Amino acid sequence: EKGGFPYFMLKEISEQPDALADTLRGRLSPEGSIVLDEERLSDQDFRDIDKVFIVACGTAYHAGLIAKYAIEHWTRLPCEVEMASEFRYRDPVLDRSTLVVAISQSGETLDTLMAVKHAREQKARVLAICNTNGSTIPRESDAVLYTRCGPEVGVAATKTFLGQVAACLLVGLFLAQTRGVLYGDEVAAYVDRLQRMPELVRRTLGTVEPVRELARSLAGAKAVLFLGRHVGYPVALEGALKLKELAYMHAEGFPAGELKHGPIALIEPGLPVVVVVPSPRGRANLHGKMVSNIQEVRARGARTIVIAEEGDTAVEPYADHLIRVPATSSLLAPLVTTLPLQVFACELALARGLDVDQPRNLAKSVTVE
Ligand code: M6R
């Protein structure tokens, strides 16, 4: 049942183009709009919303952090993302015009479920993004959008993360479309880009072989840092989480702009630093700022592992290892930049002789608080 792969995780990484296509299937209309038929909130409910909260744990929380950038940019609604384990203990301000999006692969994570119950008690509208049909979180929510990625056996979330990110992007575009914040042709342009993503994911996975070699060469490293900016920051957090849980290695993700506020003190000669570089076509010269950050850590001896768009030549002089991903629009980039990080963590753990499907101390679904 591992389809010829030695581990479920390797199989699930390889299934991502199809998993992503399955999340998107039927939800992108040929006319260029977003269709979310199956969830049970009305268009009027969506129009009445004045604030969005996203609650989730672990990898699903990282999907939520990515969603915040897209939702605020597209809908102009304030959006907060919170770890479900903290949400209800701090008395969040919720009412019937709040949309709470609960993201959970299993649909059984107890902290996320309790956050959903708390939100509904406060009369908020709750939309679940979930991979497991008929699980508890969708049952307790007002509406559900299934990611339809198929069963995920490996403890580390891979294909379902892509599904969660895609589902969040669909929700963001749907909100913007329903509330009339984006013009029809703007939504249509994103629909077109999303349609192409499964193919870009396939292409990216076809080029990750050098990442495996690199990961094997780092099997003895003590720690790895991950840097990102904008949506690349949650991707950095996700890369670090994968490395912790699979390779039992000290790994931290930082927003690159925070470096000089403390983390740069960690840099010592030979320390591997993975950098998720924003698109050179993106906003606010984030790309140029990131190139400076790469120079800063390299000048202090870091071994830089740079994930950058095809055609981005500015990073070349400062990359000890350069991993290319296809060009996409900034908000969709996590769907490709995450892939080399999954492969990196998986391969590094295998090189350390570890079981990537069953990491120590972890369960696939966490049904205790
Ligand atoms: O089933 P859920 O999506 O609610 O699970 C949330 C986390 O426990 C989960 O994403 C965990 O962090 C993964 N093992 C990460 O790979």
Side-chain angles (χ1 to χ4, degrees), residues 215-228:
R216 286 194 287 267
S217 77
L218 291 173
K222 295 261 175 317
V224 180
L225 299 189
F226 293 76
L227 302 179

Side-chain angles (χ1 to χ4, degrees), residues 12-28 147-149 159 162-163 165-167 169-170 189-207 326-328 332-337 339:
E12 288 156 4
I13 287 175
S14 78
E15 286 171 348
Q16 292 183 105
D18 292 337
L20 178 59
D22 286 342
T23 305
L24 298 173
R25 189 172 15 89
R27 293 166 174 166
L28 304 172
T147 45
R148 308 191 294 216
C149 297
K159 62 178 178 173
L162 251 64
V165 172
L169 295 172
L170 290 171
Y190 275 105
V191 166
D192 184 53
R193 289 175 198 139
L194 281 169
Q195 294 277 23
R196 297 167 200 266
M197 287 316 290
E199 193 41 46
L200 290 192
V201 169
R202 193 180 309 282
R203 244 179 68 197
T204 311
L205 288 175
T207 61
T328 51
L332 309 192
L335 295 171
V336 289
T337 51
L339 306 173

Side-chain angles (χ1 to χ4, degrees), residues 23-92:
T23 305
L24 298 173
R25 189 172 15 89
R27 293 166 174 166
L28 304 172
S29 86
E31 297 76 42
S33 60
I34 306 291
V35 188
L36 298 183
D37 279 346
E38 68 270 63
E39 46 82 19
R40 301 181 301 269
L41 287 173
S42 68
D43 285 5
Q44 192 55 48
D45 289 332
F46 280 110
R47 277 193 282 271
D48 289 343
I49 286 159
D50 62 15
K51 178 172 64 186
V52 181
F53 268 108
I54 301 178
V55 290
C57 300
T59 288
Y61 169 72
H62 298 152
L65 288 177
I66 292 168
K68 174 184 167 80
Y69 290 86
I71 289 175
E72 290 192 332
H73 182 64
W74 288 334
T75 69
R76 307 310 298 143
L77 288 170
C79 174
E80 287 187 44
V81 192
E82 183 133 6
M83 287 181 183
S85 54
E86 288 295 321
F87 182 69
R88 75 200 150 104
Y89 299 117
R90 67 168 180 84
D91 207 4

Side-chain angles (χ1 to χ4, degrees), residues 54-277:
I54 301 178
V55 290
C57 300
T59 288
Y61 169 72
H62 298 152
L65 288 177
I66 292 168
K68 174 184 167 80
Y69 290 86
I71 289 175
E72 290 192 332
H73 182 64
W74 288 334
T75 69
R76 307 310 298 143
L77 288 170
C79 174
E80 287 187 44
V81 192
E82 183 133 6
M83 287 181 183
S85 54
E86 288 295 321
F87 182 69
R88 75 200 150 104
Y89 299 117
R90 67 168 180 84
D91 207 4
V93 182
L94 305 165
D95 58 34
R96 57 182 73 252
S97 50
T98 312
L99 176 68
V100 172
V101 180
I103 311 174
S104 174
Q105 183 285 131
S106 61
E108 302 297 345
T109 299
L110 195 62
D111 280 318
T112 311
L113 175 62
M114 297 313 279
V116 164
K117 288 190 170 169
H118 181 77
R120 289 200 75 195
E121 278 161 22
Q122 308 290 311
K123 309 280 182 261
R125 314 278 176 190
V126 180
L127 169 66
I129 291 180
C130 186
N131 195 51
T132 311
N133 282 3
S135 53
T136 312
I137 289 171
R139 275 208 314 274
E140 294 288 333
S141 301
D142 293 297
V144 56
L145 195 63
Y146 282 110
T147 45
R148 308 191 294 216
C149 297
E152 188 174 68
V153 180
V155 163
T158 52
K159 62 178 178 173
T160 58
F161 175 71
L162 251 64
Q164 288 165 348
V165 172
C168 286
L169 295 172
L170 290 171
V171 169
L173 286 172
F174 185 74
L175 266 168
Q177 168 185 292
T178 311
R179 298 167 60 85
V181 199
L182 285 182
Y183 291 115
D185 55 343
E186 293 174 300
V187 176
Y190 275 105
V191 166
D192 184 53
R193 289 175 198 139
L194 281 169
Q195 294 277 23
R196 297 167 200 266
M197 287 316 290
E199 193 41 46
L200 290 192
V201 169
R202 193 180 309 282
R203 244 179 68 197
T204 311
L205 288 175
T207 61
V208 288
E209 214 43 48
V211 179
R212 293 187 204 285
E213 247 169 72
L214 170 64
R216 286 194 287 267
S217 77
L218 291 173
K222 295 261 175 317
V224 180
L225 299 189
F226 293 76
L227 302 179
R229 278 178 181 267
H230 192 252
V231 289
Y233 164 49
V235 171
L237 292 178
E238 175 60 7
L241 177 61
K242 285 284 156 298
L243 204 57
K244 283 177 200 152
E245 70 175 330
L246 296 168
Y248 315 153
M249 223 162 146
H250 181 224
E252 296 281 350
F254 297 110
E258 269 294 297
L259 267 178
K260 52 181 100 39
H261 301 286
I264 200 162
L266 292 168
I267 308 287
E268 54 186 22
L271 180 78
V273 178
V274 179
V275 187
V276 184
V277 180

